[in-house]
Amino acid sequence: MALVGVTNIPPKGSFGLSLEAVSAFSLLNPVVYPLALFFLVVVMRALFATVDRKSLLLFGTLTLGMIIASYQPLFDPTASSDLDGWITIFFFFEVARQAVRAVRRQVHGGWIIGIGAVLFIINGVFLEQYYQYTGNEMARGLRTFLRFSYYLTMPVTIAIFLAVRSARQNRLLARQRDELDKEVHERTAELRHEKERSDELLLNILPEEVAEE
């Protein structure tokens, strides 16, 4: 997602890049953006579903198709295709589906992913489409905020989710370790008591020297 941001809005003024360098950076965006969506979907499926060969083949094919569709206008300016847009919506739908699955299954911390997915889709689809279809000009500050929040939303929420899950697993492991230690102490005490009883029994039925031996 960081590469998407860099290739989408090359910092020409900040780094003194030439127009050719900015254009070269922009040409990478049709590759980087589909790959970012592909990896995002794979991570979401790895967390809340399965990543099998069929799903990798499906989303890999869609990613390749999206890249080809994005570059098509460069080779054929008269070509008009909404294929990349529809594939983008499909990726967004898959992100939303996995987020809903996490919330419905009551995965610990799943609500974090749910909020992140809502913000991701609103910033990435609805607001952009709203301004595009209404013909209103989005304020520059608002556009910058939306784009940066769009780039950061899912990586940050996934990182927070993983941190929360890791902390919970650590607490569970600590509790299990304490319970195991308690069980070991109790069992050790029982064994010590049984040994004392057996020693006492030996002393009662055998001469003291024989029992000690």
Side-chain angles (χ1 to χ4, degrees), residues 27-76:
L27 286 175
L28 293 175
N29 188 258
V31 174
V32 175
Y33 182 64
L35 287 176
L37 292 179
F38 172 77
F39 287 123
L40 175 60
V41 167
V42 170
V43 169
M44 293 288 286
R45 289 186 66 89
L47 289 173
F48 308 115
T50 56
V51 182
D52 52 15
R53 184 175 298 178
K54 288 184 179 180
S55 62
L56 285 176
L57 181 61
L58 170 63
F59 290 105
T61 303
L62 290 174
T63 301
L64 182 60
M66 187 175 176
I67 293 173
I68 295 173
S70 299
Y71 277 118
Q72 186 178 3
L74 296 177
F75 301 101
D76 185 6

Side-chain angles (χ1 to χ4, degrees), residues 24 56 82 126 138 153 169:
L56 285 176
D82 295 329
F126 291 109
M138 187 184 299
T153 294
Q169 289 176 343

Side-chain angles (χ1 to χ4, degrees), residues 129-184:
Q129 295 301 319
Y130 168 77
Y131 279 94
Q132 181 177 347
Y133 284 110
T134 58
N136 297 326
E137 182 67 24
M138 187 184 299
R140 184 175 180 179
L142 177 60
R143 181 180 296 275
T144 302
F145 170 77
L146 288 179
R147 284 192 172 177
F148 274 100
S149 62
Y150 167 67
Y151 300 145
L152 294 174
T153 294
M154 289 310 298
V156 169
T157 51
I158 289 175
I160 294 174
F161 168 77
L162 293 175
V164 169
R165 189 176 70 170
S166 177
R168 180 172 182 265
Q169 289 176 343
N170 289 338
R171 287 196 301 270
L172 291 176
L173 288 174
R175 186 183 306 166
Q176 292 175 353
R177 185 176 61 247
D178 293 341
E179 293 176 353
L180 182 60
D181 289 342
K182 182 180 178 182
E183 184 178 349
V184 168

Side-chain angles (χ1 to χ4, degrees), residues 166-205:
S166 177
R168 180 172 182 265
Q169 289 176 343
N170 289 338
R171 287 196 301 270
L172 291 176
L173 288 174
R175 186 183 306 166
Q176 292 175 353
R177 185 176 61 247
D178 293 341
E179 293 176 353
L180 182 60
D181 289 342
K182 182 180 178 182
E183 184 178 349
V184 168
H185 287 306
E186 291 176 352
R187 184 59 179 159
T188 302
E190 292 176 0
L191 292 174
R192 187 181 299 112
H193 180 65
E194 292 295 330
K195 183 178 183 303
E196 292 173 354
R197 288 183 59 189
S198 63
D199 290 346
E200 184 180 355
L201 181 60
L202 286 174
L203 289 172
N204 288 335
I205 63 176

Side-chain angles (χ1 to χ4, degrees), residues 100-111 168:
V100 169
R101 173 177 293 185
V103 174
R104 289 186 61 183
R105 292 185 175 182
Q106 298 181 347
V107 176
H108 185 76
W111 59 272
R168 180 172 182 265

